[in-house]
Amino acid sequence: MTATLEHANICVSDPHKTAAWMEKIFGWRIRWEGPALNGGYSVHVGSKDSYLALYAPKEGLSAPPTPYSTKGALNHLAMIVDDLDAAEQAVKDAGYTPKSHADYEPGRRFYFEDEEGVEYELVQYD
């Protein structure tokens, strides 16, 4: 048996704003949006095969847990890109700061953090 990740669901303060930069940087599209759990609102953004569900609760959000030290905390989300240099320029154009660049076998990568405090890893494999 083989499993494939279909989606992940994360809380954000503004699903439309987050989806907009994801469309620009990742080349994704909004697949669905509408009312969600407990009076919240969700925007599903991604490709035909997988997506991120961006959920905003009716009430405000609390501070995120500390990554890499809290049980169950989201540490980062990683995306494979075809052209890491073009992706880095798109990240900069969107107003984010690339960091922690690394070359490693079999590829290269960098990270950036959005205004929600979510860290993203972009990787290109050779």
Side-chain angles (χ1 to χ4, degrees):
M1 180 185 88
T2 300
T4 301
L5 181 65
E6 190 233 1
H7 79 274
N9 187 317
I10 61 173
C11 287
V12 297
S13 55
D14 184 340
H16 288 108
K17 181 178 179 182
T18 301
W21 73 252
M22 288 180 168
E23 287 177 309
K24 289 178 184 172
I25 293 175
F26 303 145
W28 290 351
R29 65 175 179 76
I30 294 175
R31 297 167 37 128
W32 176 86
E33 65 178 280
L37 182 70
N38 298 326
Y41 195 84
S42 285
V43 173
H44 294 182
V45 61
S47 68
K48 68 178 185 69
D49 298 319
S50 65
Y51 64 95
L52 287 177
L54 308 174
Y55 172 77
K58 184 177 181 178
E59 304 301 323
L61 295 169
S62 60
T66 304
Y68 298 99
S69 65
T70 304
K71 185 185 281 187
L74 173 69
N75 294 319
H76 66 262
L77 295 168
M79 315 304 167
I80 298 170
V81 297
D82 294 333
D83 184 337
L84 192 64
D85 297 324
E88 182 169 6
Q89 188 59 54
V91 167
K92 290 177 182 176
D93 291 347
Y96 302 114
T97 304
K99 63 181 182 177
S100 303
H101 294 74
D103 291 345
Y104 66 104
E105 191 63 36
R108 7 183 236 126
R109 68 177 179 224
F110 71 86
Y111 298 82
F112 72 95
E113 189 174 299
D114 72 1
E115 60 275 341
E116 303 291 334
V118 177
E119 184 178 68
Y120 296 86
E121 176 185 1
L122 298 188
V123 60
Q124 177 183 340
Y125 293 115
D126 298 328

